[in-house]
Structures are given as structure tokens and as C-alpha cells.
Amino acid sequence: FKPKVPIIGVTNNVSTLKKLCLFWGVNPYLHLGDLYSEQLEDKVLANLKKQGLIQEKDNVVICRANASDLKDGKANCVKVKKV
């Protein structure tokens, strides 16, 4: 099954980036910086927009873990954000 909408996996770890390449339909994106800052979402969305991967008025679903609650790599935060 390949979703009709793009899935972009963001990581700051090269090993994880390589693993993301193995998943069909996932576009890996390396962010060299802190993945747990509050400004991260806006920085990453601005870069993705600049690269043409997302457009104005797109709805984006963000799944991530808060640094203070990070356990076993599981997401504990889900947001829907309009670009």
C-alpha cells in the first residue's frame, strides 16, 4: 500500500534517515539540529515549502515526541497544521 499523499519523515540521525529510505512512500528529510525545540515545526515546514515539498494551504499532520516524554521512540503528540 502506498498512500496518495506524501509522508515526510524528519530526523536528525543519519542512521534513522537510511532506515526511512526503506519504507515505501516515506520521503526522508535530515534536519541537522534539535528535534525537540518549539520552533522546529515552523523551521522544518519553511524548509519543506522552500524545497517545493509542501505548498501554501496544505494540511500537514505532525507526529512527534516531546523531549521530556521521549520513551522508546514513540510519538506522544499529534497535530494537524495548515501551512
Side-chain angles (χ1 to χ4, degrees):
F1 171 75
K2 184 176 178 184
K4 294 180 182 182
V5 296
I7 298 172
I8 301 167
V10 179
T11 182
N12 63 353
N13 183 296
V14 175
S15 177
T16 301
L17 183 80
K18 291 176 183 179
K19 291 175 186 174
L20 286 172
C21 290
L22 300 174
F23 291 98
W24 189 358
V26 175
N27 301 303
Y29 178 83
L30 183 64
H31 174 75
L32 298 174
D34 183 13
L35 284 181
Y36 306 108
S37 71
E38 291 299 319
Q39 299 81 18
L40 169 72
E41 292 171 11
D42 293 331
K43 286 180 185 177
V44 170
L45 291 176
N47 285 335
L48 294 173
K49 191 173 163 187
K50 198 183 313 183
Q51 293 178 18
L53 295 172
I54 59 175
Q55 299 175 13
E56 200 68 36
K57 297 186 180 178
D58 279 353
N59 288 316
V60 178
V61 178
I62 300 167
C63 302
R64 66 176 180 89
N66 293 324
S68 60
D69 300 326
L70 187 61
K71 293 180 185 174
D72 302 324
K74 296 179 180 174
N76 63 1
C77 178
V78 178
K79 285 186 190 177
V80 177
K81 196 169 190 174
K82 189 171 233 71
V83 178

